[in-house]
Amino acid sequence: MKKFAFVFPGQGSQAVGMLDGWGDHPEVLGTLAEASDALGENVGHLIHEGPKELLSLTTNTQPVMLVAGVAAWRVWRSEGGALPSVLAGHSLGEYAALVASGVLTLARAAPLVRFRAIAMQEAVPVGTGAMAAILGMDAQKVIAGCAEAQASFDAGSAEVVEAVNFNDPAQTVIAGSKAAVDKACEVLKANGAKRALLLPVSAPFHSSLMKPAAERLKAELAATEFAPPQIPVINNIDVTVEADADRIRNALYRQAFGPVRWVECVQAIKTHGVDTIVECGPGKVLAGMVKRIDAELTGASMYDPASLADVKTMLA
């Protein structure tokens, strides 16, 4: 069998009915029941019925995406799927990777992720922060453009804009205060970016404005039991594999207000001898990024029984 990695998607890949393709698979039903007990609400109903507006609230999106990724993982294992050589997750997806690795139980991870979402939403009032995807520009030029935009404000200004998600060589997401993000979009387009698209999000995730949320999260992480990983997990913030519980906690704390170094994560996955990266959970966003990051790698998605069968065939 080929050496492969599993990666888990984060916020943005959610959709009403995203688990319907699995039907009444017992692993999916069991995962929904476990998460519902942990959160004190019917998670399955929210995922199946929506509405989209409710599912897209950060405080709901983060736990439901965790649940969707873990459900797909459990189906894979129950259907005889082999263990991957390495795991990773994009932003929030790192928590699903840690559950798959055995570091966190779903019963512990779900309330932790819900707390993370609430802290992030409360850190910056809705409408005062923003994020935008910058397309068709080298990451270093995006960083320089953000610095140029921020420097255009008065000295001592609270306006801030930073490069926060390095998704592929030609797609970098920026985040910060609304005025600074708008200014950066203007500067970056003038400097040659193909497009600058404001994202429909409610907070400037992974920017330094999330530091207050991270400080709240730090205490919650300290109170949560972590076990040694059974499968290596490459983290977003340092692009390293950690085995020590306190180092894993610290990486999750810093990830809340630091960049998602996804291009480097995929490159690090390759160093484990992997040639196929499987996106475990709803959507095909991460699978699509794989080829754009490294043409020698193969990306695949697993989100229903048919795609699971395809992945098994691909890896045989």
Side-chain angles (χ1 to χ4, degrees):
M1 175 175 270
K2 293 177 182 173
K3 289 190 80 173
F4 67 100
F6 263 30
V7 296
F8 294 84
Q11 202 160 337
S13 291
Q14 71 277 0
V16 175
M18 60 187 171
L19 290 178
D20 290 358
W22 294 115
D24 290 330
H25 195 289
E27 290 293 339
V28 175
L29 296 180
T31 301
L32 289 170
E34 187 180 341
S36 295
D37 285 346
L39 293 170
E41 65 181 84
N42 190 332
V43 176
H45 184 269
L46 175 61
I47 293 173
H48 180 63
E49 300 290 341
K52 180 182 177 182
E53 295 72 24
L54 196 57
L55 197 69
S56 296
L57 290 174
T58 291
T59 51
N60 289 328
T61 305
Q62 294 198 24
V64 299
M65 282 302 298
L66 168 74
V67 169
V70 171
W73 165 257
R74 288 178 172 178
V75 173
W76 169 258
R77 294 293 291 142
S78 75
E79 297 291 334
L83 287 174
S85 299
V86 63
L87 302 166
H90 189 283
S91 183
L92 162 71
E94 192 166 302
Y95 287 80
L98 290 168
V99 173
S101 180
V103 173
L104 287 167
T105 63
L106 179 61
R108 293 192 183 102
L112 183 62
V113 164
R114 166 63 58 77
F115 182 90
R116 176 182 186 265
I118 292 170
M120 285 179 156
Q121 191 58 74
E122 291 177 351
V124 179
V126 174
T128 60
M131 299 182 78
I134 310 302
L135 308 180
M137 177 174 270
D138 174 78
Q140 292 305 314
K141 290 183 179 177
V142 175
I143 292 169
C146 286
E148 184 182 336
Q150 193 164 318
S152 71
F153 294 95
D154 293 338
S157 167
E159 302 295 345
V160 60
V161 59
E162 298 154 351
V164 297
N165 288 4
F166 298 94
N167 287 336
D168 71 36
Q171 184 196 121
T172 302
V173 174
I174 63 173
S177 55
K178 181 73 167 64
V181 169
D182 287 343
K183 179 64 177 177
C185 288
E186 179 188 312
V187 167
L188 290 164
K189 282 192 281 190
N191 290 356
K194 285 184 181 174
R195 300 182 77 185
L197 305 171
L198 284 172
L199 300 177
V201 296
S202 54
F205 303 118
H206 299 290
S207 74
S208 57
L209 296 177
M210 289 289 105
K211 188 84 185 326
E215 293 303 326
R216 292 174 63 189
L217 178 62
K218 191 176 193 176
E220 202 71 12
L221 288 164
T224 303
E225 187 177 335
F226 280 53
Q230 303 304 302
I231 307 169
V233 178
I234 296 171
N235 68 36
N236 288 181
I237 192 71
D238 300 317
V239 197
T240 57
V241 173
E242 300 291 359
D244 176 74
D246 283 338
R247 292 180 69 88
I248 295 171
R249 288 187 182 95
N250 183 258
L252 291 173
Y253 154 71
R254 288 181 292 118
Q255 187 227 55
F257 64 96
V260 174
R261 297 163 60 185
W262 193 248
V263 171
E264 293 170 89
C265 286
V266 171
Q267 291 166 340
I269 286 170
K270 188 181 181 182
T271 66
H272 286 254
V274 165
D275 57 19
T276 304
I277 298 178
V278 180
E279 182 171 5
C280 181
K284 303 177 182 179
V285 173
L286 301 183
M289 290 176 186
V290 168
K291 266 285 194 253
R292 298 196 293 274
I293 293 170
D294 190 322
E296 293 181 353
L297 294 171
T298 299
S301 303
M302 191 196 68
Y303 49 84
D304 63 12
S307 57
L308 185 150
D310 288 344
V311 169
K312 276 190 173 181
T313 301
M314 180 188 296
L315 296 176

